[in-house]
Amino acid sequence: MSSSDSQIINVLRRKYPARGMVDLGNPADTLLATLLSARTRDEQVLKIFPAFRKKFPDFSRLAQADIRQIETSISTIGLYKAKAKAIKGLAQKIVKDYHGRVPKTFEELISLPGVGRKTANCVLSYAFGVPAVAVDTHVFRVVRRLGWSKKSDPEKV
């Protein structure tokens, strides 16, 4: 990360000190809520999340769950079938490869089913305090309009 990147992150942190809506205070909840929030409003995810976590309190329960149970638990949010499949695969990999703990590096996070750059950066930033910016379509558009980047690829932005 360049010094200008760090400066931008510090300015944004001072300007917007509140936690993100899916920053739920621990890596597991933050990872799951962020994954569930893809193409779904955070408010909708937060409505179903407590019951979801009560039913599946840890990754080993999610890894062993029938996919239909996961689907039923998240059926009110968008893309719930694909998200259920990703969550089950993610949980299995976390249990097998990371002893039930959310990995702490970008490379490890994006190796998990359903986790892309944005989710990985959210988890790194929220759960582990790593300076990272999640570039979604909105951030991408604003950064380009402000002239902070002329790049046409979110990864380069």
Side-chain angles (χ1 to χ4, degrees), residues 21 38 48 51 74 79 95 103 139 141 153:
M21 288 185 77
I48 65 147
I74 63 172
L79 306 171
V95 167
V139 171
R141 186 175 61 246
D153 177 3

Side-chain angles (χ1 to χ4, degrees), residues 27-56:
D29 286 348
T30 298
L31 172 60
L32 291 167
T34 304
L35 192 150
L36 289 169
S37 72
R39 302 188 71 157
T40 301
R41 295 183 55 83
D42 291 346
E43 295 86 357
Q44 191 63 26
V45 171
L46 295 175
K47 282 182 189 176
I48 65 147
F49 199 77
F52 171 75
R53 287 304 270 166
K54 187 173 183 179
K55 186 167 190 163
F56 306 107

Side-chain angles (χ1 to χ4, degrees), residues 45-95:
V45 171
L46 295 175
K47 282 182 189 176
I48 65 147
F49 199 77
F52 171 75
R53 287 304 270 166
K54 187 173 183 179
K55 186 167 190 163
F56 306 107
D58 54 44
F59 288 118
S60 60
R61 294 258 179 93
L62 275 168
Q64 295 167 6
D66 181 89
I67 195 81
R68 289 179 300 266
Q69 291 177 301
I70 300 171
E71 287 174 354
T72 299
S73 295
I74 63 172
S75 64
T76 61
I77 63 170
L79 306 171
Y80 73 93
K81 287 185 182 245
K83 290 175 185 179
K85 182 179 176 185
I87 286 169
K88 182 168 175 76
L90 169 146
Q92 289 171 329
K93 185 168 176 84
I94 287 176
V95 167

